[in-house]
Amino acid sequence: MMKKFFIIIGLVSTSFVTLFTSCKKDSFDEFYRDPSTTTETTIDKQFAGITYDFRELIFPSYWNYFVILRTTANRYIQAVGWQNGPNQLLPGAAGVQDRWANYYRGLAQYKEFERVFAAEPEEEQEQSRIYYIAAKILFYDQTQQMVDLYGNLPWSKAGTLNANPADYTTSYAAYDKGEDIYTIILDDLKAISTELNTLTIPQVVMTKFRTQDIINGGSLDLWKRYCNSLRLRMLTRISDAPSFSSRAQTELAEIIGDPSTYPLVTTNDHNIQLEIFDNTNDAYHSRGFRDGIESENGNIAGKAMIDYMVDKADPRLPFMFEKGALSPNAYVGLDPTLTTGAQQQLINGNSDGESILSIYNRSTYSRNQNFPGIIISASEVNFLLAEYHVRNSGDALAKDLFELGIKESIAMLQQIRQGSNNDDAPAPTAPTSTAINTYIANVGWSGNKIELIARQKWLHFNIIQPLESWAEVRRLNYPTFTFRVEPADLQKEVPNRWMLPSSEVTYNTDHYNAVRDQDNVNNKLFWDVN
C-alpha cells in the first residue's frame, strides 16, 4: 500500500492527468462534480473542475496554511511569530511536495479542459470562447506563482497522459525555463486582453457561465481587469531583469496609459476573489483556516509587523490583531531574535496559558468561515501603479495611488470582518477618516519611496497572500528582517526559491538531471536581480 501511495504522488507531481481528489463533497453541486467520479464531461463542467482543483491554493485551507505556509513564506516575511528551531529556514520536504502536487492536479484539469474544448465543433468553440479565456487566465495566475517558487517547471509538455495512456513512461515532461514560461504567458495574456475588448458572448452561454464562474460571477468586465492586473503584476516583477526590462517598460506604459482599453482592479468592488457562497459546502469553504493557523501555536503576531503598525498608529491593528490576555493595553509581537527558551516562556504565559503576545484576530481571520480566497486586490494594483510612477517621475500621482492603496487595504479588512460569522473577538469600531489620514501622515511620503511602497504591500498581504508578499520582498529587498540562526543550521539565510520535490528526482529523473545544477534554494530566480 505504501508503494502505491508514492507512485500516485509521483504521477501527479510529474504532471500527469491524474483526475482524483480526497476531498469529501456530499453537498457539492452537480455543476462542480469531481471529475474523478464522472465518465463524461463538458466544457462548462471541466472549467468548474479547474477552479475546483485550484481552490485550496486560493482559499485559506488547513493544508495550505499548516503544512506549507506555516513553516515557509509566513516566516520568511515575518508575517507571523514562531518559536525558533533547528534549520528553520530550510523549506520542508512535505510542503514543497504538496504544493507541487496540488498545482499539477489543477494543471491536469486544465489540460483535460483543452482536450474537451478542442474536440467540440468550431461553432461551439466560438460560442464558448469565454470559458477558454477564463480558464487560461486562472491557470496562468497559478503557474506564475509556481515559477516564482521553483523556477523551472515541467510545463509546456506536461499533462500528456490522456493523449498517451498506453505508456506513461514516455509522458514524463521536460522542464521549461521560468523565463520562457513567463514569456509564453505574457504573450498570451496580451492577446487575451485585446480579444476581451471585442468578445461577444451568446446569452445562453452567459447564463450558464454566470453559474459556473464563482470567481467573477460571469462579469466580463472583471475578467478584463483580472487579465490586465495579472499582466501588471508579472511585468512589474520582471521589469529589472535585463532580458525583459524593455518589454516590461513598453507594455506597462501601454496598460497604465490607457485605462479604458486596459481596465485594472483599482477599487475593492473590482477585487478578484473566490467568494464563500455557503460555508457549509464541503468543497468551497474556509473552515480549515482555524486549525491551519491556530494549531501548534501557529497564531502568534510577529514583532516587526506589530511594532511598525503601533508606531504609525495603523487603524488596521484591531482588525488584524488581538491583544494578549496579559497585555490588554498593548500589542506585543514575538521577537524572532530571542532564544528558543525565552520565546517558549512568552508563548506559554502563565499557568492558565494566558500570554502577553498578540495574535491574529480570530474573528477576522482564522474563525471566519466566510473568509474569501483573495486573488488580486485593489491595494496590490494601486501599490504596483504607485511603484511604476515613482520609477517614471510621476511623484504626485504615485503619492495619490500609494495613499489609495492604503485606504483600500483598510476598507478591505473591514469588509472581511463584517462578513465574518464569528464574534469570538468583538468587532472593532470602524476607523474615522481622521485616524486614517493621521496614519497616512505618520507613514509619510519622503525618503526611499520604493521602501515605503514595499512595506505597505507587506502589511496588506500579511498572512492573506504570503507567497505574493515573499516574491515582492525578494524582488525589492524591502522590508528587511533579522533572523536567529545557529552554527549547526544547514540554511543560514532565507532561501531565494524552493527546491524541486523528491518525486521529480525519483520519477522524472532524466529530465530532472537536466536542471539539477539549478536546484538550489540559494540560486536566485531570473527576475530577482537586485
Side-chain angles (χ1 to χ4, degrees):
M1 184 65 182
M2 186 62 70
K3 182 178 180 181
K4 182 177 181 180
F5 172 79
F6 279 113
I7 288 175
I8 289 174
I9 293 298
L11 291 177
V12 174
S13 67
T14 49
S15 323
F16 283 120
V17 178
T18 308
L19 304 178
F20 72 93
T21 180
S22 60
C23 296
K24 182 181 177 183
K25 315 178 310 309
D26 293 341
S27 61
F28 202 35
D29 186 271
E30 66 170 352
F31 287 109
Y32 303 99
R33 283 179 291 179
D34 175 4
S36 70
T37 67
T38 63
T39 57
E40 296 182 2
T41 187
T42 59
I43 288 175
D44 58 315
K45 289 182 173 61
Q46 197 61 37
F47 170 78
I50 297 170
T51 309
Y52 177 78
D53 266 336
F54 279 138
R55 77 197 186 286
E56 289 207 16
L57 302 179
I58 301 172
F59 283 136
S61 66
Y62 167 80
W63 157 84
N64 197 18
Y65 271 81
F66 186 79
V67 177
I68 298 174
L69 300 175
R70 178 176 60 93
T71 58
T72 57
N74 276 332
R75 291 184 180 179
Y76 302 158
I77 58 173
Q78 295 192 6
V80 297
W82 73 97
Q83 185 176 357
N84 292 323
N87 292 311
Q88 61 183 358
L89 297 181
L90 192 65
V96 168
Q97 176 70 68
D98 282 1
R99 185 61 165 74
W100 183 274
N102 206 305
Y103 166 76
Y104 279 104
R105 280 195 287 271
L107 179 145
Q109 292 278 27
Y110 175 76
K111 290 301 179 78
E112 181 67 6
F113 171 86
E114 285 191 319
R115 185 192 67 79
V116 171
F117 190 89
E120 293 292 337
E122 185 174 338
E123 182 180 1
E124 175 64 22
Q125 292 182 33
E126 183 176 346
Q127 291 184 346
S128 300
R129 181 72 179 169
I130 184 59
Y131 286 103
Y132 192 57
I133 288 173
K136 276 192 170 186
I137 294 171
L138 177 59
F139 175 58
Y140 287 159
D141 184 355
Q142 292 300 318
T143 301
Q144 167 248 310
Q145 294 179 43
M146 287 291 287
V147 172
D148 292 351
L149 288 172
Y150 299 92
N152 302 327
L153 301 174
W155 192 67
S156 60
K157 302 299 182 182
T160 59
L161 186 60
N162 61 341
N164 186 28
D167 184 6
Y168 71 83
T169 60
T170 64
S171 297
Y172 290 108
Y175 282 73
D176 293 280
K177 293 181 179 179
E179 48 265 59
D180 292 340
I181 296 173
Y182 255 69
T183 298
I184 292 169
I185 291 176
L186 285 170
D187 287 349
D188 210 7
L189 286 176
K190 184 177 182 180
I192 287 171
S193 176
T194 300
E195 182 179 357
L196 282 170
N197 285 329
T198 59
L199 185 69
T200 57
I201 307 171
Q203 186 57 49
V204 65
V205 173
M206 178 54 79
T207 299
K208 185 174 287 188
F209 182 61
R210 288 194 186 102
T211 301
Q212 302 288 37
D213 175 18
I214 61 173
I215 296 176
N216 290 321
S219 169
L220 189 60
D221 176 68
L222 289 181
W223 281 105
K224 291 178 184 179
R225 294 179 188 277
Y226 186 1
C227 175
N228 290 312
S229 298
L230 180 57
R231 292 178 67 201
L232 178 73
R233 173 198 287 171
M234 294 179 66
L235 287 164
T236 302
R237 190 149 297 159
I238 62 174
S239 58
D240 287 334
S243 59
F244 285 99
S245 59
S246 177
R247 172 184 184 163
Q249 288 304 313
T250 298
E251 292 191 23
L252 285 170
E254 182 178 57
I255 293 168
I256 294 168
D258 191 354
S260 60
T261 302
Y262 306 104
L264 296 165
V265 176
T266 53
T267 73
N268 285 330
D269 289 339
H270 303 149
N271 285 355
I272 310 300
Q273 58 191 42
L274 274 178
E275 297 282 4
I276 305 294
F277 55 87
D278 175 9
N279 64 39
T280 66
N281 186 293
D282 287 332
Y284 289 89
H285 60 79
S286 291
R287 299 196 303 272
F289 201 7
R290 178 169 181 167
D291 286 340
I293 292 297
E294 296 183 29
S295 298
E296 296 189 14
N297 294 318
N299 189 4
I300 302 174
K303 179 177 173 58
M305 189 169 285
I306 287 289
D307 286 359
Y308 184 85
M309 295 180 77
V310 169
D311 179 63
K312 302 299 183 184
D314 195 322
R316 288 169 290 194
L317 261 169
F319 291 89
M320 285 178 63
F321 295 105
E322 297 177 57
K323 296 171 183 174
L326 300 183
S327 184
N329 298 315
Y331 291 96
V332 180
L334 184 62
D335 187 342
T337 66
L338 294 177
T339 64
T340 301
Q343 288 180 322
Q344 186 66 66
Q345 289 182 1
L346 291 172
I347 293 169
N348 288 345
N350 63 18
S351 59
D352 294 325
E354 297 172 324
S355 171
I356 68 169
L357 296 175
S358 299
I359 61 175
Y360 271 95
N361 188 303
R362 293 164 296 174
S363 295
T364 301
Y365 291 86
S366 58
R367 300 186 183 183
N368 178 3
Q369 296 177 347
N370 296 324
F371 201 103
I374 306 295
I375 298 174
I376 292 182
S377 68
S379 290
E380 176 187 356
V381 170
N382 283 309
F383 290 140
L384 290 171
L385 293 172
E387 179 184 338
Y388 172 84
H389 288 292
V390 165
R391 296 185 187 278
N392 290 275
S393 303
D395 189 78
L397 183 53
K399 180 177 184 290
D400 290 343
L401 290 162
F402 175 69
E403 294 179 359
L404 179 59
I406 293 173
K407 291 176 181 178
E408 290 294 287
S409 179
I410 295 169
M412 190 182 91
L413 270 179
Q414 292 182 74
Q415 291 170 7
I416 290 173
R417 178 61 182 85
Q418 289 168 2
S420 177
N421 65 334
N422 181 274
D423 289 312
D424 289 346
T429 302
T432 63
S433 57
T434 299
I436 294 172
N437 291 332
T438 297
Y439 171 67
I440 290 174
N442 290 343
V443 170
W445 185 248
S446 61
N448 188 332
K449 293 169 184 176
I450 297 299
E451 182 176 1
L452 290 175
I453 295 169
R455 188 173 294 277
Q456 290 302 318
K457 285 184 185 180
W458 171 66
L459 291 170
H460 173 70
F461 284 138
N462 56 82
I463 59 169
I464 298 176
Q465 291 179 279
L467 292 180
E468 280 304 311
S469 187
W470 182 38
E472 288 296 88
V473 169
R474 282 178 286 163
R475 179 177 72 88
L476 296 172
N477 296 319
Y478 296 116
T480 58
F481 307 106
T482 301
F483 296 85
R484 187 180 183 90
V485 295
E486 303 298 339
D489 285 349
L490 298 176
Q491 183 68 26
K492 292 182 170 58
E493 56 187 22
V494 173
N496 291 313
R497 65 168 78 195
W498 287 354
M499 77 282 283
L500 293 166
S502 60
S503 60
E504 287 294 293
V505 181
T506 303
Y507 298 103
N508 198 15
T509 308
D510 289 343
H511 295 308
Y512 171 79
N513 285 338
V515 298
R516 179 188 293 272
D517 61 341
Q518 300 169 52
D519 188 20
N520 185 312
V521 296
N522 294 315
N523 286 344
K524 287 189 172 185
L525 296 172
F526 72 95
W527 48 255
D528 188 5
V529 297
N530 295 319

